[in-house]
Amino acid sequence: MYKTIAETAVDLGMPEDQIMRLVYEGRIRSVYDGEQTLINSGQFSTYFKQLERIKEEIEIWRSTPIPEDIDVKDED
C-alpha cells in the first residue's frame, strides 16, 4: 500500500521533514507520480518487527534486578 509522506510520518511517529530527508538520501524507497511522492509502507515491516523486539529487550532489562556486589564488605 502506498502512502504519502505525511501519512508515513504519522505511521512512523516521525516529523515529515525527517521522512523527506530520508527519501532524498535514498534510505527510504519512494515513487514520484507527477504530483506527490508516495512511499510503499510494506518496506517498514522489518522496522516494526525490530522495534517490537527492542522494546521487549528493554522491558526485560528493566525488570531484571541488580545483583548484589560480592566485593562489598559490611564493616562498621
Side-chain angles (χ1 to χ4, degrees):
M1 176 176 176
Y2 285 91
K3 296 183 178 184
T4 63
I5 289 178
E7 293 170 338
T8 303
V10 170
D11 286 347
L12 296 178
M14 300 169 77
E16 286 185 42
D17 59 337
Q18 187 176 7
I19 299 292
M20 289 186 340
R21 182 176 50 82
L22 293 172
V23 167
Y24 294 137
E25 290 175 356
R27 296 176 65 189
I28 295 178
R29 294 184 308 272
S30 64
V31 176
Y32 184 72
D33 71 350
E35 296 178 11
Q36 59 188 351
T37 302
L38 299 172
I39 299 170
N40 186 347
S41 60
Q43 65 183 313
F44 300 112
S45 62
T46 304
Y47 168 77
F48 287 123
K49 287 178 187 175
Q50 290 176 348
L51 189 62
E52 287 300 317
R53 185 181 55 83
I54 289 170
K55 285 180 182 179
E56 289 173 3
E57 288 180 8
I58 289 173
E59 188 59 36
I60 291 170
W61 176 75
R62 285 183 178 166
S63 65
T64 304
I66 298 173
E68 296 278 337
D69 189 9
I70 59 173
D71 294 335
V72 174
K73 296 180 182 174
D74 188 24
E75 295 180 8
D76 291 329

